[in-house]
Amino acid sequence: MTGQVRGVQLARLLGQWHALPGRRRSPDYAALAGAVRGLLADGRLPLGVRLPAERELAEALRISRTTVTAAYRQLRETGHLASRRGAGSWTMLPGNHRVASTGLWTPLDDREMIDLGVAALAAPPQLLAAARAAAEDLPRYLGGAGYHPTGIIELREAVADGYTARGLPTSADQIMVTSGTQHALDLVLRLALAPGGSVLVESPTYPNALAALAGRRARITTHGLAADAGWESDLLLGSLRQTRPKLAYLIPEFQNPTGHLMPASLRERVVAAAHAVGTDLVIDESFVDLPLDGTELPPPTATFDRHSRVVSIGGMSKPYWGGLRIGWVRASAPQVQRLAAVRVGVDMASPVLDQLVAVHLLADAPAIVADRRTQLAAQRDALLGALAHRLPDWRITVPRGGVTLWAELDGPVSSALARAAEDVGVRLAPGPRFGLDGTLERFLRLPFTLPAADLVEAVGRIAAVRYDLDRTGRQRWREPAVIA
Ligand SMILES: Cc1ncc(COP(=O)(O)O)c(C=O)c1O
């Protein structure tokens, strides 16, 4: 069991359950059971969570207890609930349905394939000049051994200045340079999470973070994000207080995959709640440089931290280039020293030349990042336009930043659609890849990192196979590819 949902919380999640489509023909208990199944399928209600007692839910919903009893009975019969006398009822999925959230890595060998599995831009034109300038700088380092476990000082200073400019005073000794944000997460987990430790993550979340957590055999609980509204403050804070995880991994800026931006008030409350229950927060700021439409950013989550509870991670991959493999951790200076000690058992240090390239790119940050935002906004709008035209039944919340949108499909077909799309040359990352339990089949992440013409072409192909899907039946699944 991973926690408990109270009657009022479930009532809030259920919302207008009695007015769901097809409702007129079904009795109350069946509608209630259907609504609970819907929440499970969308990952809004975690698996293994204890539902409220029948009387409590009946009171919260202002319906009769017999209706709740009948709904729970139906959920047991359909395999969505397990009950033990005196101990309560837990959510589950029929047949222990599980889909691996982390696929095997296979190289993208097909150049004709439009790859919507990877949410990252091609390198900016400024990269070559930065690489040449870095090569010119290299002699300054050649006299030493070249091992800098926390990173070269120039880059640590540049990254620290970036935080200070965002209103979070930071010194270079609070920064450790890593080989990408993913590496930063792995190192933080090695330091902060004993094998088997408990972690709270968003659902949906970034699949490779789940892979890193699997590497620590973490016991994971989820907070389900609403597709249209993001975090539900009371539920998130309630989960922290109830499960008291060792660590919580959150993506407050343009969350991958949903694109939501966490408001300042919730950041402050999450930090306070985490401190109260002894939870460390790992805040992934991968997309912080990419607000679109002039969206104002709330203060960094670590601004609300008074007790070194927040470790921020970020990197160059989203605004600049994934191929650079440069990321970082921002933490207290003693934590950085401890991370460096962990790192010597892993990879010693990041390449000096690549760090110098990063220094030159950061020196040109305002121009490069402004171009990226313009490019991303135009590509996002092309994608939205194509979706509205070709797949008008899909529901989409327009992301105000980042590089992805989270489409709510017209049925639980995400994996089937990904299989069918592969045959027409489009690689997709289906909804279940972003969760733990094989749920999220009604969702699909679509990045807008490819040129507009590719996005429009891809949507056309997806629309064609979507309408064929029901007739053609199951497709053969090729190996899952890398998702980033
Ligand atoms: C939320 C999030 N964290 C981490 C990463 C990995 O970033 P990096 O390439 O810097 O390792 C990504 C890349 O997609 C991401 O979306």
Side-chain angles (χ1 to χ4, degrees), residues 384-396 408-410 417 444 446 458-467:
L384 289 170
L387 288 168
H389 178 51
R390 302 300 305 272
L391 289 154
D393 295 339
W394 289 11
R395 283 203 292 193
I396 287 144
E408 186 172 349
L409 313 184
D410 52 339
L417 191 62
L444 179 66
L446 292 170
V459 171
R461 294 188 204 173
I462 295 169
V465 290
R466 170 65 194 105
Y467 293 115

Side-chain angles (χ1 to χ4, degrees), residues 119 179-183 206 249 251 256 284 286-287 314-318 322 325-327 484:
S179 300
T181 315
Q182 184 69 20
H183 181 220
Y206 175 54
Y249 168 78
I251 314 171
N256 185 358
D284 187 330
S286 285
F287 303 98
M316 304 288 289
S317 294
K318 300 303 163 173
R325 308 309 308 135
I326 294 290

Side-chain angles (χ1 to χ4, degrees), residues 184-405:
L185 175 61
D186 185 68
L187 289 174
V188 170
L189 294 181
R190 281 169 196 261
L191 182 68
L193 191 70
S198 56
V199 180
L200 178 81
V201 302
E202 293 140 343
S203 173
T205 189
Y206 175 54
N208 297 343
L210 294 175
L213 290 168
R216 302 297 294 160
R217 303 195 191 293
R219 284 181 293 121
I220 301 178
T221 54
T222 54
H223 168 67
L225 297 192
D228 52 353
W231 300 266
E232 311 244 7
S233 318
D234 292 347
L235 290 176
L236 175 56
L237 299 171
S239 295
L240 278 173
R241 292 190 190 113
Q242 256 179 32
T243 57
R244 308 171 82 91
K246 174 72 189 71
L247 201 143
Y249 168 78
L250 302 172
I251 314 171
E253 283 93 12
F254 313 115
Q255 201 260 356
N256 185 358
T258 61
H260 287 299
L261 179 62
M262 186 185 281
S265 54
L266 183 54
R267 293 171 189 230
E268 184 166 14
R269 293 173 73 198
V270 166
V271 173
H275 178 59
V277 298
T279 297
D280 291 324
L281 293 175
V282 181
I283 300 298
D284 187 330
E285 301 184 318
S286 285
F287 303 98
V288 73
D289 288 325
L290 299 174
L292 306 177
D293 313 327
T295 300
E296 288 240 346
L297 283 177
T301 308
T303 340
F304 302 106
D305 183 25
R306 306 273 173 274
H307 307 91
S308 301
R309 281 276 165 212
V310 177
V311 172
S312 310
I313 59 175
M316 304 288 289
S317 294
K318 300 303 163 173
Y320 302 91
W321 192 42
L324 257 187
R325 308 309 308 135
I326 294 290
W328 50 79
V329 180
R330 179 200 182 273
S332 68
Q335 283 171 313
V336 165
Q337 288 306 314
R338 287 199 288 276
L339 280 167
V342 170
R343 179 184 201 161
V344 295
V346 181
D347 69 338
M348 312 282 280
S350 293
V352 172
L353 185 57
D354 305 35
Q355 294 183 69
L356 287 168
V357 179
V359 170
H360 283 280
L361 287 171
L362 289 178
D364 206 5
I368 299 177
V369 172
D371 287 352
R372 300 303 240 185
R373 291 186 191 158
T374 308
Q375 178 189 354
L376 283 166
Q379 288 170 188
R380 177 201 59 185
D381 293 346
L383 177 61
L384 289 170
L387 288 168
H389 178 51
R390 302 300 305 272
L391 289 154
D393 295 339
W394 289 11
R395 283 203 292 193
I396 287 144
T397 304
V398 177
R400 299 284 169 213
V403 302
T404 59
L405 60 82

